[in-house]
Amino acid sequence: MRSVITRALLLSAGLVTVVFLATAGFLVYSRAASVSAAADQRDAAVVAGVLAVSSDADTVRGTIARTSAGAEGRLSVVLVDGTRLGAGGGSPVTSVGGATVSVLPAAVPFPFGAVFLVVGVAVVTLGAAVWLGHRPFTPVLVALRVLASSTGRRVRLRGPRELEALAASINESSERTSRLRAKEREMIADVSHRLRTPLAALRLDADAVGSGPVADRIRSAVSTLGHDVDRIIQALQPAEGESASTCDVASVVEARMAFWSAHAADQGRVCEIDVGEPAWVPLSPDALGAVVDALLENVFRHTPAAAPVGVSVVRHAGWVTLVVEDGGTGVADPSSALHRGSSGGGSTGLGLDIARA
């Protein structure tokens, strides 16, 4: 922000300085021209005074030589008989008794000294203007620094009214967001706790089924569901200062595919898995497992039982990509399928949004 203000001040003060220099240069030049013209008038007046007394050529010639314009060869006199005394043509300045005095205007020298003085004063004034111009913006810059450093906490600042109103709006939005998040966490916690009762009943029913592959899969699915509910409840109260979790994508995918491969075999699906070497990513194993489960659940729910499924982990240029493919008919509108709560297959529309999050 300070650099923007500096550029604006330099631009505005620079334009004023240019106008000032142009005006000052014109005035200095005009004054020098006026002084030179006045000197020529005085020289012409001296010669005219001599002509009024005597028209002797030698006397007039000597007078011309003693003037500055005559010494420079710019002053001449044409007597009544047509005799020209002195050099230079120029425009007639005065006439005495039929004799004409003419002066050729002198070239006005460029006033370097005065111009350099004016430029120096202008540069000093420009620097002072930029320095003084920052002072009114100091409260604004301080308030902006407070806003920039107030992430995650209530903003308290004193400054321009517009920035105070902005801080109040940020505080209001933050409070509203906190209330919405608290309400969402309460809702998830309530739903999760409500699920525990039917889950307990499912465990009892699964234990009563007996033994066999189907019973084992039912018990495994119920156990996984119970574990997911417990994980959701625990995630509602994250530990303060907890370091970021990491996990190996290959091992997590292999662990989850142990369940989904059995499910695919039961349906007669072809299931291909290619995870390769370990690949570590900044995700917890449970979070990555939820991604795998959400994507595979979509495959098994929305594709025919005979459609093949493939899961692979691709590493390229520092990226780790989890690819889940199936032999279904595809998604008619992929962009809307990623919207939370939007489903073209009659489901909740949360699976892809959970995976993306």
Side-chain angles (χ1 to χ4, degrees):
M1 185 66 180
R2 179 175 290 274
S3 62
V4 175
I5 295 174
T6 301
R7 288 196 297 270
L9 290 173
L10 284 174
L11 179 60
S12 57
L15 291 176
V16 174
T17 302
V18 169
V19 173
F20 170 73
L21 290 176
T23 304
F26 174 77
L27 293 177
V28 169
Y29 181 83
S30 298
R31 176 174 174 77
S34 299
V35 171
S36 177
D40 290 345
Q41 289 286 348
R42 287 194 300 270
D43 290 345
V46 170
V47 174
V50 172
L51 285 172
V53 176
S54 173
S55 60
D56 181 66
D58 293 335
T59 302
V60 174
R61 189 179 290 111
T63 303
I64 292 174
R66 286 192 294 272
T67 62
S68 297
E72 295 173 359
R74 297 186 294 105
L75 192 150
S76 64
V77 175
V78 179
L79 299 178
V80 176
D81 58 3
T83 303
R84 178 181 290 275
L85 305 175
S91 301
V93 175
T94 185
S95 178
V96 178
T100 304
V101 181
S102 301
V103 179
L104 184 67
V108 179
F110 188 80
F112 287 101
V115 170
F116 287 150
L117 178 62
V118 171
V119 170
V121 173
V123 170
V124 173
T125 305
L126 177 62
V130 173
W131 180 72
L132 293 174
H134 276 96
R135 301 190 65 180
F137 292 98
T138 300
V140 178
L141 296 175
V142 172
L144 289 176
R145 282 195 291 269
V146 171
L147 284 175
S149 61
S150 299
T151 304
R153 59 187 176 88
R154 186 174 179 82
V155 181
R156 294 182 177 86
L157 61 83
R158 290 291 181 269
R161 287 177 297 178
E162 292 79 3
L163 288 181
E164 290 183 358
L166 175 61
S169 177
I170 292 174
N171 290 332
E172 182 180 354
S173 299
S174 178
E175 292 172 359
R176 184 164 60 250
T177 302
S178 298
R179 289 194 299 269
L180 291 174
R181 291 184 62 185
K183 183 177 180 180
E184 182 180 10
R185 293 164 73 90
E186 291 175 0
M187 180 191 70
I188 295 174
D190 183 64
V191 172
S192 301
H193 281 290
R194 287 173 180 268
L195 287 174
R196 282 184 165 177
T197 298
L199 276 176
L202 282 175
R203 286 194 184 96
L204 294 176
D205 293 340
D207 292 338
V209 170
S211 59
V214 176
D216 292 339
R217 283 199 300 272
I218 292 175
R219 280 190 286 269
S220 176
V222 172
S223 177
T224 300
L225 183 57
H227 173 71
D228 289 343
V229 171
D230 292 338
R231 184 179 60 196
I232 292 172
I233 295 174
Q234 293 172 1
L236 294 176
Q237 297 178 349
E240 294 292 336
E242 184 178 355
S243 59
S245 299
T246 59
C247 70
D248 174 24
V249 179
S251 61
V252 173
V253 171
E254 285 182 338
R256 294 311 304 148
M257 290 307 297
F259 167 77
W260 290 107
S261 297
H263 195 17
D266 185 58
Q267 291 187 350
R269 292 178 185 264
V270 176
C271 183
E272 298 181 357
I273 306 171
D274 181 14
V275 295
E277 298 297 325
W280 294 88
V281 295
L283 278 176
S284 67
D286 288 343
L288 183 56
V291 174
V292 177
D293 291 342
L295 296 177
L296 269 296
E297 183 181 3
N298 273 352
V299 173
F300 282 85
R301 177 175 296 180
H302 300 294
T303 62
V309 59
V311 179
S312 59
V313 179
V314 181
R315 302 160 187 79
H316 178 70
W319 288 83
V320 179
T321 306
L322 173 64
V323 181
V324 177
E325 300 174 295
D326 62 71
T329 58
V331 180
D333 189 358
S335 59
S336 66
L338 293 174
H339 294 166
R340 185 178 180 85
S342 175
S343 173
S347 62
T348 60
L350 299 178
L352 294 180
D353 185 74
I354 291 172
R356 180 173 58 178

